[in-house]
Amino acid sequence: MLDGLDDLPPRRWQSRTVLAAAATALVLVAAAGVALALRFVAAERERDLRDWQVRLGIVADSRAAAINDWLVRQLETVQGLAQNVSLQLYVTELAQANGDRGAVTDEASQAEYLRNLLVVTADRTGFTGAPLGARVPANVPRVGVAGLAIVDAQSRVLVATPDMPDIGDRLAALAGANPQKAAVLDLYTDAGGQPAIGFFAPVQALQADPGSPPIAVIVGIKQVAAELFPLLSRPPTAEKTAESILVRRAAATIEFLSPTADGTAALERRMPADTPSLAEAYIVANPGGFSLLRDYRDREVLATGRTIDHAPWTLVHKVDRAEALAESDARLDRLLVVLLLGLAAIVAGFVAAWRHGASRRAAATADRLKALMQKLESQASLLRIVTDSQPAAMFIVDEQERMRFANRLIAERAGTPAEDLIGKSLSSGLGPAEAGRHRKLFREALERGAAQPAVQRMETDAGPRIVHVEYIPLPDAAGRLSKVLVVEEDITAPILERDRRERTLRQLVRTLVALLDRRDPFAANHSQRVAAVARRIAEEMGLEPVEIETVDIAGSLMNLGKILVAPQILTRSGNISDEELLQIRQSLQAGADLLAGIEFDGPVVETLRQAQEQWGGGGPNGLRGEDILMTARIIAAANAFVAMISPRAHRPAISFDAAIRSLLERCESVFDRRVVAALINDLENRGGRQRWADFARPVG
């Protein structure tokens, strides 16, 4: 094509050569620009995927931790029974007698005690369930679905809760395996077609040598649909297609242990492990990994997962790609169009500038560069405004403890412009003391790969300073966690105000209780004792802190209404009339009315109003069952227990055993069985009898 250039005049030939070179350079620049635009968009898409990896990982960590905690609680239940001294004594005697129950000391009483222990433990920890089949007046056994049992080394059931299911081959395999520690009997479908799980713990003979074979095992069976599977949806997420499921590898298949979003029930779906691009199979093989694959519905999903510590399960957390990246895809498509249009505009401008001479081209280039710089500065300024407007101090530090970003609040605290902090070490930027405060949790966030929240309290010249700090690991371009975002929020004012309110409330409670003790010397300390017993019950049941404080305060104030009862009625040593007894009983509601205007953190007033309600109905407000606050059910049982074991002006105290029998006889009619079970467990296994032995002594 260039052969004819030799015939042109020298200047014209040179001009065409320069023009051809410029055109070639322009084409190369345009191609490079397109390549860079595509690469930039690809990098942005990769960054969005990393962001989703972090988001999904945080949810997966939280839900896996909840499942692990649930499994640990179940194992602790059977392990606690296995370490019960009375239980060990019984099975040791039975083993020494080669299974001859007649050779065991007071065997019937021991077995009855252990049966009651298993029943109370099962009620308290959820190892219960309605047996299958209708109750008929004939010798027709009903099929159990849950329970606790003591099984000897020959797979014989020694003691069990009523309707304990028969686990057949599972029990025989367990006995032959000679288990040495508590473990999980994996998920299976029980006789009722429901997912169930077993737990076992070995029972050692008393004074046995370490490592000797167990002489029995504690076996617990429970259905898991109501307890385990709801943990897969907490904490909730904003994504509609987000789903967490439990899976396990079984030979060449992937078994789905939990229900799936398409309506398939637990343990009913199995898929070949070699299904191409199957997300669940990939996560089982690569726990903790993250990838864009296809799930059991053949939908493209972003998926990650975590292993479960105490069971051969893997938690898979995923979200449909269409939902997760829809906004990102649209944004990046717009960005690509804008970049290409911008590139086209630059090329057009370059051509126009070329035609108007070198000086005009230089001026146009300078203007474009200036506009670009202004745009970049505007974006940087916007980012700074957004972070500086937050009420929390924020900074980013890398694994070499160098600061990579700092917002206005952290810069003001350091007394240095934010720009000057970039690149400094944590110690030189914030000071050795501040660096030491952050260093441990900053390192833990990098090592664990998960956010580490903490509440830190410091003493300053101006008084205490309390902050909530969260250390969030951030991945680099290669996906490796190399930096940590530190977000610190000052919560001093609300925490100190809460502490002040609690001190004031406690002082008010002590004052009112002292006033009541003076008016009724025979019932002095009754409310404090009710509060102490109620608090132990609430802690045994694992209630939230606000509920525990509620029963403590409500128990302390339950006799406040007695200030409206004549002292001669309260101190009378003989019988009292029905009218006077009614006046005393109504004092509880009167006390609630007196406290109605006080603001408590928990439902103290409503607890007092419902404390006389009965589980089977018939209380003053007509409530029954689960309609009654749990705190009120606890106060009712604690009040009855303390009243029975404490002497009064008109009667002596009764024994602990008699009080327990009285409570059990009124379970399901007056008291919640779970509350009574928690009280009995505290008495028998937590030292309650010794702790409250002085309640039977007369006051004065």
Side-chain angles (χ1 to χ4, degrees):
M1 291 178 61
L2 302 178
D3 293 342
L5 292 176
D6 294 333
D7 300 329
L8 297 175
R11 285 186 179 179
R12 190 175 181 184
W13 180 85
Q14 291 176 357
S15 176
R16 289 192 175 184
T17 301
V18 172
L19 183 60
T24 302
L26 185 60
V27 170
L28 292 176
V29 168
V34 171
L36 288 174
L38 294 174
R39 183 176 179 182
F40 176 78
V41 170
E44 285 295 297
R45 181 168 280 109
E46 188 67 23
R47 183 179 64 82
D48 289 341
L49 286 174
R50 288 196 299 270
D51 289 343
W52 273 103
Q53 179 181 3
V54 173
R55 291 172 61 178
L56 295 180
I58 291 173
V59 176
D61 286 336
S62 174
R63 294 180 178 178
I67 292 172
N68 280 324
D69 289 345
W70 184 85
L71 289 172
V72 167
R73 289 197 302 272
Q74 314 314 310
L75 291 171
E76 287 175 349
T77 296
V78 295
Q79 186 66 48
L81 289 171
Q83 295 172 354
N84 183 282
V85 175
S86 298
L87 190 150
Q88 288 179 307
L89 176 61
Y90 176 80
V91 296
T92 299
E93 285 191 76
L94 195 60
Q96 292 173 349
N98 294 322
D100 183 5
R101 293 177 182 260
V104 176
T105 305
D106 198 9
E107 192 276 340
S109 297
Q110 289 196 60
E112 181 62 21
Y113 168 78
L114 294 179
R115 187 174 294 105
N116 289 337
L117 176 63
L118 294 182
V119 169
V120 169
T121 303
D123 284 344
R124 180 173 56 86
T125 57
F127 283 87
T128 57
L132 304 176
R135 187 185 300 274
V136 296
N139 189 21
V140 178
R142 304 172 75 191
V143 178
V145 297
L148 292 168
I150 307 171
V151 182
D152 67 9
Q154 287 74 42
S155 300
R156 295 175 299 199
V157 177
L158 304 179
V159 182
T161 57
D163 302 313
M164 171 68 182
D166 181 8
I167 58 175
D169 295 339
R170 295 174 179 270
L171 184 57
L174 171 62
N178 189 22
Q180 293 296 320
K181 62 180 182 179
V184 176
L185 295 170
D186 207 354
L187 268 172
Y188 67 97
T189 302
D190 66 13
Q194 297 298 313
I197 189 170
F199 304 88
F200 70 86
V203 181
Q204 298 290 340
L206 286 176
Q207 300 180 345
D209 294 330
S212 59
I215 58 176
V217 292
I218 302 297
V219 179
I221 303 294
K222 68 163 52 180
Q223 294 179 330
V224 301
E227 290 185 26
L228 177 61
F229 296 155
L231 300 178
L232 296 172
S233 59
R234 295 196 294 266
T237 61
E239 296 78 34
K240 295 181 180 179
T241 59
E243 182 183 14
S244 291
I245 54 177
L246 290 175
V247 298
R248 68 184 174 199
R249 179 73 180 259
T253 64
I254 300 296
E255 293 183 346
F256 290 71
L257 308 180
S258 57
T260 54
D262 64 353
T264 303
L267 294 168
E268 288 192 2
R269 183 188 298 276
R270 290 175 176 81
M271 297 186 70
D274 59 356
T275 302
S277 301
L278 181 62
E280 290 79 6
Y282 172 84
I283 296 302
V284 169
N286 302 276
F290 172 82
S291 188
L292 179 61
L293 298 163
R294 307 192 77 83
D295 69 356
Y296 61 89
R297 302 164 300 172
D298 199 32
R299 291 187 185 178
E300 196 172 24
V301 295
L302 305 178
T304 188
R306 299 292 185 268
T307 56
I308 302 303
D309 295 340
H310 300 283
W313 308 339
T314 301
L315 181 140
V316 179
H317 182 64
K318 59 188 180 63
V319 64
D320 285 6
R321 182 198 184 282
E323 179 184 16
L325 298 180
E327 182 179 350
S328 173
D329 289 343
R331 175 174 56 83
L332 293 179
D333 289 343
R334 291 193 300 270
L335 180 61
L336 180 59
V337 171
V338 170
L339 289 175
L340 293 178
L341 290 176
L343 181 61
I346 292 174
V347 172
F350 183 84
V351 172
W354 180 270
R355 295 183 61 184
H356 287 83
S359 61
R360 298 291 298 273
R361 289 196 300 272
T365 302
D367 289 341
R368 284 193 296 272
L369 290 175
K370 181 179 179 180
L372 181 60
M373 289 299 296
Q374 289 175 342
K375 182 178 180 181
L376 292 175
E377 290 176 358
S378 176
Q379 292 175 344
S381 176
L382 177 61
L383 177 61
R384 176 66 58 185
I385 289 172
V386 170
T387 56
D388 287 349
S389 65
Q390 301 301 311
M394 294 186 290
F395 63 92
I396 296 176
V397 59
D398 63 19
E399 55 190 347
Q400 284 78 39
E401 297 190 10
R402 293 175 300 189
M403 299 186 70
R404 293 302 186 186
F405 171 80
N407 74 343
R408 175 181 55 82
L409 287 180
I410 200 68
E412 289 176 353
R413 187 181 304 165
T416 305
E419 296 79 6
D420 294 346
L421 290 175
I422 307 305
K424 285 187 176 182
S425 69
L426 199 58
S427 296
S428 61
L430 302 182
E434 284 286 288
R437 178 165 66 89
H438 294 295
R439 184 171 288 115
K440 179 181 177 182
L441 287 174
F442 150 69
R443 291 293 178 189
E444 286 184 4
L446 282 180
E447 292 170 2
R448 298 180 181 180
Q452 301 295 311
V455 175
Q456 300 172 350
R457 187 183 184 105
M458 297 151 284
E459 295 297 332
T460 67
D461 294 339
R465 177 170 174 265
I466 307 167
V467 295
H468 178 270
V469 192
E470 189 156 11
Y471 302 84
I472 305 170
L474 303 175
D476 58 18
R480 188 175 66 89
L481 298 176
S482 60
K483 297 183 287 294
V484 172
L485 169 63
V486 182
V487 181
E488 180 178 292
E489 183 178 1
D490 193 312
I491 58 173
T492 304
I495 293 297
L496 293 182
E497 175 61 20
R498 185 197 66 187
D499 293 346
R500 184 193 66 78
R501 287 182 56 206
E502 288 182 355
R503 289 194 301 272
T504 301
L505 184 59
R506 284 295 177 187
Q507 292 169 357
L508 173 62
V509 170
R510 285 195 294 269
T511 301
L512 293 175
V513 169
L515 174 63
L516 294 173
D517 288 346
R518 292 181 182 179
R519 299 190 79 253
D520 187 2
F522 289 101
N525 300 324
H526 176 81
S527 54
Q528 296 99 311
R529 292 172 176 178
V530 171
V533 173
R535 187 179 188 93
R536 293 293 301 183
I537 294 173
E539 291 172 347
E540 185 69 24
M541 295 181 73
L543 299 189
E544 296 296 328
V546 68
E547 295 176 295
I548 296 174
E549 288 303 315
T550 294
V551 299
D552 193 336
I553 295 173
S556 299
L557 294 176
M558 64 176 297
N559 287 332
L560 178 61
K562 287 186 178 180
I563 64 175
L564 303 177
V565 181
Q568 58 270 27
I569 297 177
L570 298 175
T571 57
R572 184 176 301 165
S573 59
N575 294 330
I576 60 176
S577 67
D578 292 342
E579 181 179 353
E580 291 170 337
L581 182 60
L582 177 61
Q583 187 178 354
I584 293 174
R585 289 177 176 172
Q586 289 177 340
S587 65
L588 187 60
Q589 299 296 323
D593 294 337
L594 291 173
L595 296 170
I598 299 177
E599 182 179 351
F600 296 94
D601 289 338
V604 173
V605 175
E606 196 59 30
T607 295
L608 292 175
R609 293 193 191 281
Q610 298 183 18
Q612 292 175 314
E613 299 300 312
Q614 299 182 9
W615 179 264
N621 299 313
L623 301 178
R624 63 186 302 159
E626 297 294 341
D627 294 335
I628 307 171
L629 289 176
M630 177 59 74
T631 51
R633 291 179 242 162
I634 292 174
I635 290 294
N639 181 45
F641 175 73
V642 171
M644 286 187 285
I645 66 171
S646 303
R648 288 293 181 263
H650 56 281
R651 60 157 177 83
I654 67 174
S655 68
F656 281 99
D657 292 334
I660 290 173
R661 285 196 299 272
S662 177
L663 292 175
L664 288 173
E665 288 171 358
R666 291 183 285 169
C667 279
E668 307 303 333
S669 61
V670 177
F671 303 114
D672 183 350
R673 181 177 294 277
R674 291 168 295 176
V675 175
V676 175
L679 172 58
I680 295 174
N681 189 66
D682 188 83
L683 287 170
E684 303 298 341
N685 301 310
R686 312 288 191 205
R689 288 179 178 267
Q690 295 76 22
R691 188 185 317 112
W692 300 325
D694 62 336
F695 284 13
R697 299 193 187 102
V699 178

